[in-house]
Amino acid sequence: MSKSKNVSDFIKGVKIVFDRIEEHEQVLFCNDADTGLKAIIAIHNTTLGPALGGCRMRPYETVDDAIEDVLRLSKGMTYKCAAADVDFGGGKAVIIGDPLQDRTPELFRAFGQFVESLNGRFYTGTDMGTTPDNFVHSLRESSCIVGVPEEYGGSGDSSIPTAKGVLYGIQATNKTVFGSEEFGGRTYAIQGLGKVGFKVAEMLLENGGDLVVSDINRHAIDRLIQRAIELNRGVKVVSGDEIYEAEADVFVPCALGGVINDQTIHKLKVRAVVGSANNQLLTTDHGDQLNERGILYAPDYIVNSGGLIQVSDELYSPNPMRVLQKTKAIYDTLFTIFEQAEAHSISTIKAANLFCEQRIESRKRRNSFFAHKKPGKWTVRS
Ligand code: NAD
């Protein structure tokens, strides 16, 4: 092969890489042969502040899958931070590995060194496949670690504010759809009774809501049934896909992403969807379809931002009152989004995306206004 062909193939290859990360500021590939660490950190946008986002560990089948995941998730964090009005931007990390075998202290220390190398541009902590304990090791190498156990200065179980946020989301949605924010007198179809779903289910039961629930884990269901007995209440349990066609007023997805899709959307009998699961809509088009069917969708990244609010607050030294106050704001933000969607005849997910993009744009103007006040390094040289 000629030298010029090699060069042109190289340039094409570089262009493909840059086209793919066009929306992102920085993508860092982290390789540590000693510990076997293979990680990717993606920083999507730091207009609002340093990037913040969890670190996920998965045995990705290909590096391509890992790149796709980290790019998509880090962009999502930009919107989530903007919606929650915290001074952070969007970032995320993925470690390619098996959480059951590869989570060694050394690997997380090495990961901490890479995070530290970004010099405060990226803050991270636990996500799927990792636990707060793993990041205690990273914390020995970097001060940019959040969500660690309380004895290390962390703020504790983030599913508590997340569940509270979902409940504020349900109140705002109930008020918009049914005219009253009361939980009682309505039926909620809850998919997933894990850390968040159980707490939401418990609160709804305590406040007079009727429940139809599903979980693939029998223990999770038994635990809720036990709690319902203590409260003198009952719950209806359905299996698998039956949750989508439940006779209910509100669908509360608290398990998987992508659950609003071509296969499920026509089955829904509810008037609203409000839950904690990330990326509930398979595509933005599914948000339009919910809108056309008269089902009010409370955008997931607004509803489930309680956990993010808590970890971002940690950096100012944890304060539960402040976290609660910001989590309550989810209620008002949703009203703003519902009103904007109505006013512009667009879906609520499109209205939420626009709302976040406008917040980022206005911050950009403020940033550049002050950036110009400092002389550049070259100009001050005598
Ligand atoms: P979790 O793992 O504790 O609970 C998930 C539950 O869903 C489990 O009980 C699991 O058995 C069940 N489940 C899995 N597949 C299912 C299926 N097909 N049908 C029914 N149930 C199924 O997770 P979590 O922390 O409660 O989080 C729930 C969702 O909320 C996830 O999508 C997560 O990404 C999102 N979320 C969580 C937080 C948080 O603070 N924990 C914050 C933001 C978003």
Side-chain angles (χ1 to χ4, degrees):
M1 204 183 290
S2 74
K3 198 174 165 191
S4 65
K5 167 95 175 81
N6 277 343
V7 171
S8 90
D9 281 354
F10 175 75
I11 291 168
K12 256 190 231 152
V14 170
K15 185 175 175 331
I16 289 169
V17 171
F18 276 99
D19 282 352
R20 190 161 180 195
I21 63 167
E22 194 182 19
E23 290 185 53
H24 287 70
E25 289 179 13
Q26 189 176 7
V27 180
L28 179 72
F29 286 76
C30 316
N31 187 36
D32 183 64
D34 286 347
T35 61
L37 174 75
K38 291 205 179 318
I40 310 168
I41 297 171
I43 296 179
H44 176 254
N45 189 307
T46 57
T47 305
L48 297 178
L52 172 66
C55 172
R56 184 170 278 200
M57 186 173 202
R58 274 183 73 180
Y60 292 98
E61 280 187 15
T62 64
V63 173
D64 210 58
D65 290 349
I67 296 173
E68 197 57 42
D69 214 22
V70 78
L71 294 180
R72 185 178 59 85
L73 292 165
S74 55
K75 180 175 175 182
M77 287 307 295
T78 297
Y79 284 79
K80 203 184 228 192
C81 289
D85 196 19
V86 295
D87 293 336
F88 288 92
K92 203 87 181 182
V94 296
I95 297 178
I96 302 169
D98 182 349
L100 297 177
Q101 297 175 21
D102 301 331
R103 289 187 299 165
T104 61
E106 297 75 26
L107 181 134
F108 280 93
R109 279 193 83 146
F111 178 70
Q113 289 178 314
F114 280 104
V115 173
E116 191 61 14
S117 75
L118 287 164
N119 211 12
R121 267 175 63 71
F122 176 61
Y123 287 75
T124 193
T126 183
D127 198 80
M128 256 170 61
T130 59
T131 67
D133 288 334
N134 298 145
F135 290 93
V136 169
H137 305 293
S138 309
L139 191 63
R140 295 174 74 177
E141 303 291 345
S142 174
S143 53
C144 299
I145 303 293
V146 290
V148 286
E150 284 171 82
E151 62 273 27
Y152 288 92
S155 47
D157 182 357
S158 67
S159 68
I160 297 170
T162 303
K164 281 188 183 143
V166 174
L167 290 160
Y168 287 123
I170 291 175
Q171 284 182 312
T173 307
N174 279 355
K175 179 121 176 105
T176 306
V177 177
F178 307 110
S180 139
E181 65 181 38
E182 299 298 309
F183 294 124
R186 283 180 251 290
T187 304
Y188 303 86
I190 307 182
Q191 182 183 48
L193 299 169
K195 293 187 288 295
V196 180
F198 179 86
K199 294 180 185 77
V200 171
E202 187 181 34
M203 270 294 294
L204 290 173
L205 274 181
E206 284 170 359
N207 287 281
D210 292 314
L211 304 187
V212 183
V213 300
S214 77
D215 197 300
I216 51 170
N217 179 350
R218 187 65 224 181
H219 293 300
I221 290 182
D222 289 345
R223 191 172 157 230
L224 185 69
I225 290 175
Q226 185 52 42
R227 183 66 188 130
I229 291 169
E230 286 163 16
L231 293 167
N232 244 335
R233 300 290 316 278
V235 291
K236 182 174 177 191
V237 179
V238 295
S239 58
D241 287 357
E242 285 172 8
I243 196 76
Y244 300 113
E245 39 203 342
E247 297 289 345
D249 300 296
V250 183
F251 177 40
V252 187
C254 292
L256 315 163
V259 290
I260 309 289
N261 56 46
D262 289 346
Q263 278 67 50
T264 60
I265 208 160
H266 62 277
K267 294 183 182 169
L268 296 176
K269 295 177 182 156
V270 292
R271 301 268 312 277
V273 178
V274 194
S276 74
N278 277 314
N279 304 319
Q280 290 160 34
L281 303 172
L282 189 62
T283 68
T284 309
D285 286 350
H286 293 105
D288 295 337
Q289 289 177 37
L290 283 179
N291 196 28
E292 282 154 21
R293 296 201 50 206
I295 299 173
L296 184 66
Y297 175 64
D300 50 3
Y301 63 78
I302 298 179
V303 172
N304 70 17
S305 60
L308 163 80
I309 289 167
Q310 177 163 293
V311 292
S312 61
D313 185 80
E314 234 172 63
L315 298 165
Y316 305 96
S317 91
N319 182 321
M321 294 301 291
R322 206 166 48 209
V323 171
L324 184 63
Q325 191 187 33
K326 276 201 94 95
T327 305
K328 269 186 185 164
I330 289 172
Y331 180 90
D332 295 323
T333 306
L334 280 176
F335 278 125
T336 305
I337 299 304
F338 293 157
E339 276 164 22
Q340 291 187 359
E342 174 91 24
H344 297 100
S345 304
I346 54 175
S347 67
T348 51
I349 188 69
K350 284 186 177 154
N353 290 347
L354 276 172
F355 173 83
C356 295
E357 285 156 13
Q358 280 162 4
R359 218 169 227 183
I360 293 165
E361 272 310 305
S362 70
R363 183 70 222 175
K364 221 181 248 173
R365 283 195 295 278
R366 188 122 307 273
N367 287 350
S368 61
F369 178 77
F370 280 102
H372 287 115
K373 304 289 169 211
K374 262 198 228 157
K377 279 190 180 140
W378 294 109
T379 56
V380 293
R381 284 257 170 99
S382 55

